[in-house]
Amino acid sequence: MLNVEAIENGTVIDHIRAGKGKKVLEMLGINENNAGRVALVMNVPSKRLNKKDIVKIEGAFVNEEQTNLVALISPKSTINIIKNGKVIEKREVEIPNALKNVGNCPNPNCITNTEHAEKIFEKEESKFRCHYCERCFAAEELVG
Amino acid sequence: MNLISIRDLDKKEIEKILDLSEEMAAGKIKRKYDKILATLFFEPSTRTRLSFQAAALRLGMSYLDFSPETSSLKKGETFTDTIKVISGYADVLVIRHPKEGTARLAGDAIEKPVINGGDGGNQHPTQTLIDLFTIRKTKGKISNLNVSLLGDLKHARTMQSLVYALAMFGAKITLISPKGLELDPTLIKEVEEKFDAKIKTKSELSFNDADVLYVCRIQEERFADPYEAKRIKEQFMLKSEHLKNTKKDLVILSPLPKINEISHEIDANNKAKYFEQAHYGVPVRMAIIDYLLGRQTRN
Ligand SMILES: [Zn+2]
């Protein structure tokens, strides 16, 4: 396996659905401006998922709210918060009850696509209902 | 408090508004308001706008009428800015807009009560309250009635809110619509899950077990082929022959306008209650305004 150095302080997101690692970084707003090193390893063999992506972000501690956004793209991911080389917290991701300004409403006739408005979606069963046009969408439709 | 969507109301609140409408229709309520209603219609409407204005006048209120043709929206002002400004001129705002979610956006942006007068294909809650009121008034109840919905159930503005409310009240719903103009299946799933609703679909125009028949318009512009449009409209037009074996106390409703959906001779049939339904627009909208203003002063 391709080895990526362990990080001393930061966040490791494991068990990301293969191919979605890049999207996870994008959703968390992690890019070349991150102070520390960022590693994205794709297509890692996995017992649970067959293939998975792993992301390591040095110097950034992903909070609960951000963690739950990861669930939208990859529901089985796990988050490890690392301080001084030790895992101090392990979190399972959970699909959030509401989404705010995460994705645009896919309904072209929704007012939020022509008028400046916060994008708010509320979870209903396994879907998300737009606060404005009241249509329901799957998570993938909102975050692509 | 606003009235944006039937989804915001529970059965108790709806019943309260219907009871209040009953009192308004009977002329029992003498409350007068020294207030101003603004009707902001970003797309044409006659009935909804006029009946709101009539309701305001009957409640002793005045009204302001806004038309976008001559407004600063043409100069590029945003909808939210326009609403924020006008909210300073009036005490209640009624908004109709072709984009879905507009009334909600307005309701979130200002303090004054907002009433949704129809937002695109999404909701038209005041029409639904009029429909429920007419059903209750003519049939004495809503629950367990067999309600058939006929016509373009996909684009009809009133359908989203009406189906939701009928399901909430436990009516048994039958859908009859041309191919391609069926009711949104996610709505059917939603009300089946939320209210354990019983919804049937059929293709023939037979209403033998119906207590209520609700007829929606089929608009020609929904079809690419004008011949196809003509054929479908003809096929789904309600004629006297369809009423032959129907229940004696069947009630026929329509949000109006009707163009070719209902054959003219049915107007004289005592089962046709759509003009009565249209007239209830005033007392029900009086009740809605009274309910919102009353809530505002009590809170
Ligand atoms: Zn929307």
Side-chain angles (χ1 to χ4, degrees), chain B residues 69-85:
Chain B
E69 293 80 25
T70 52
S71 81
S72 47
L73 275 175
K74 281 256 156 86
K75 297 176 199 148
E77 188 183 43
T78 67
F79 168 79
T80 314
D81 284 0
T82 305
I83 294 298
K84 279 185 179 166
V85 171

Side-chain angles (χ1 to χ4, degrees), chain A residues 105-107 110-112 121 130-135 137, chain B residues 100:
Chain A
C105 182
N107 171 13
C110 179
I111 186 72
T112 59
F121 296 88
C130 175
H131 173 67
Y132 297 96
C133 71
E134 302 186 28
R135 294 215 194 177
F137 305 99
Chain B
E100 287 140 27

Side-chain angles (χ1 to χ4, degrees), chain B residues 2 22 32 87 90 100 102 104 107 115 123 162 168 171 184 188 203 213 216 229 238 243 249 260 288 291 293:
Chain B
N2 304 316
E22 194 81 53
K32 297 286 176 214
S87 80
E100 287 140 27
T102 315
R104 177 82 63 196
I115 300 170
Q123 289 269 321
L162 182 61
M168 189 196 291
D184 175 13
I188 298 178
S203 53
L213 168 58
C216 286
L238 186 70
L243 303 179
D249 57 351
N260 288 319
I288 292 164
Y291 186 74
L293 286 176

Side-chain angles (χ1 to χ4, degrees), chain A residues 107 109 111 115 129 131 134, chain B residues 5 7 80 100 108 190:
Chain A
N107 171 13
N109 203 37
I111 186 72
E115 182 85 10
R129 189 182 293 282
H131 173 67
E134 302 186 28
Chain B
S5 168
R7 283 194 184 87
T80 314
E100 287 140 27
D108 289 354
E190 181 189 357

